[in-house]
Amino acid sequence: MILVTGGTGLVGSHLLYQLVSENKQVKAIYRRAHTLERIKHVFSYYTKNHKELFNKIEWIEADLNNIPALELAFKDVAYVYHCAAFVSFEPNKYYQLRNINIEGTANIVNLCISNKVKKLCYVSSIAAIGNEANSDHLITESTEWNPEADNSVYAITKYGAEMEVWRGTQEGIPAVIVNPGIILGPGYWKGGSSGNLFRLIHKGLTYRTSGTTGYVSVWDVCDIMNKLMHSDIINERYILISENLSFNEFQKKVAKALNVKPPKKEAGRLMLEIAWRLDWLVSKLFGKRRKLSKQLAKSIRTKTVYDNSKIKDALQIEFNSIDSAIDQVSKYYLNDNTKL
């Protein structure tokens, strides 16, 4: 039996579709019943019998910090995909991020140990990998994490979650960690998912930024996770990115696929420095949610390039192009947008 946490998220929903399509016995954790409709919608992209596939999943209502509910979920489970996470770059969400990403992962690891799970696959992030002083140097899995750097609250908690997984490996649980870049996939057009980028670009973004980061499709992420789980590989972590692209280049590609105009103005360093300070002030004065933190403002203008050779060599694979992923996601977005 396979358990998937975060089953109602972008990665979790696509992973579930792949697993049930392969006739695997699957349990999945959800927190709110209304989010289950998202899964049916995602499944409907790929098959007409989406309801039948959805009904093959044993759904369990549980929170990552609800130990009794998690203990029920772990009954007869041999393999665990831990996809659940809270994604936020708002500094005032730090303790909530810790509670879900670190403490929640610790609970999953502890239950893997007590239930003698055969293998754990944890979905981390490139945010949990260190940075190179020279922006032209490729960042690898062995690039050192600097706890003294001005890391985002999200990055800090994802790194802390990885430490819990490594603790689990020391206590006898075979595990693999994947560190995806920005994951492109359909069905989640709002919130912290990359689908929101497609929505914003379609609506018309005014500014572009000069930073660079890594991108990967959700289909590649799920396929690699599945392959790793069925391999003899244990206690390793892998960067999952198809290509390194500037934010400007990515926005142009998405705008073209959506048949809209890309942003023309560049948000330079000074503008971003002023913007995050104003965002902080508005948050303090009016209690509004942060949209641009200091760390995020720096990230979107920083060049970071990642090396994907370790996973390519380990599994003898090639990634699908980001152009094809953008085209696919754009088609799903435009189709959904006509129904809204």
Side-chain angles (χ1 to χ4, degrees), residues 4 7 10-24 26 39-51 53-54 56-57 59 219 222 226:
V4 177
L10 176 64
V11 173
S13 61
H14 283 82
L15 178 63
L16 285 171
Y17 176 76
Q18 182 174 349
L19 293 174
V20 294
S21 296
E22 296 172 354
N23 293 315
K24 301 290 176 58
V26 182
I39 313 303
K40 296 175 187 177
H41 184 61
V42 168
F43 284 18
S44 72
Y45 290 141
Y46 312 116
T47 181
K48 291 182 179 180
N49 66 331
H50 55 277
K51 292 181 180 178
L53 287 180
F54 175 86
K56 288 183 177 181
I57 301 166
W59 289 99
W219 304 287
C222 293
N226 201 358

Side-chain angles (χ1 to χ4, degrees), residues 3-4 14 45 52 66 92 103 172 177 191 223 225 247 277 339:
L3 175 65
V4 177
H14 283 82
Y45 290 141
E52 180 183 336
N66 184 339
N92 62 342
E103 294 171 24
I177 295 175
D223 187 53
M225 289 168 64
F247 294 112
R277 287 174 169 84
K339 299 175 182 177

Side-chain angles (χ1 to χ4, degrees), residues 113-180:
I113 295 168
S114 61
N115 286 275
K116 296 181 173 56
V117 165
K118 293 181 180 179
K119 198 168 186 180
L120 167 66
C121 177
Y122 174 57
V123 183
S124 184
S125 166
I126 53 171
I129 293 178
N131 289 307
E132 288 284 351
N134 187 331
S135 62
D136 290 323
H137 288 179
L138 288 173
I139 295 170
T140 71
E141 291 81 355
S142 59
T143 300
E144 187 175 354
W145 168 269
N146 180 7
E148 302 302 320
D150 190 17
N151 300 299
S152 72
V153 288
Y154 175 67
I156 291 168
T157 59
K158 291 299 280 186
Y159 178 79
E162 286 195 17
M163 294 302 100
E164 292 295 337
V165 175
W166 294 130
R167 172 181 64 82
T169 64
Q170 295 300 308
E171 297 185 44
I173 296 299
V176 286
I177 295 175
V178 293
N179 297 82

Side-chain angles (χ1 to χ4, degrees), residues 60-127:
I60 298 169
E61 185 177 3
D63 184 277
L64 291 183
N65 291 292
N66 184 339
I67 304 300
L70 288 177
E71 286 176 339
L72 290 175
F74 266 81
K75 185 178 179 182
D76 300 323
V77 166
Y79 300 94
V80 176
Y81 291 94
H82 182 30
C83 309
F86 178 41
V87 181
S88 176
F89 296 90
E90 299 174 66
N92 62 342
K93 294 288 195 295
Y94 175 65
Y95 291 105
Q96 188 177 353
L97 283 158
R98 281 192 64 90
N99 184 51
I100 297 171
N101 294 346
I102 299 179
E103 294 171 24
T105 299
N107 292 334
I108 294 298
V109 168
N110 290 339
L111 285 164
C112 284
I113 295 168
S114 61
N115 286 275
K116 296 181 173 56
V117 165
K118 293 181 180 179
K119 198 168 186 180
L120 167 66
C121 177
Y122 174 57
V123 183
S124 184
S125 166
I126 53 171

Side-chain angles (χ1 to χ4, degrees), residues 27 34 48 64 89 103 111 163 165 167 176 217 220 224 253-254 274 289 316:
K27 293 182 181 182
H34 70 88
K48 291 182 179 180
L64 291 183
F89 296 90
E103 294 171 24
L111 285 164
M163 294 302 100
V165 175
R167 172 181 64 82
V176 286
S217 79
D220 275 335
I224 289 169
K253 288 177 180 292
V254 173
I274 294 171
R289 292 186 61 177
Q316 295 298 300

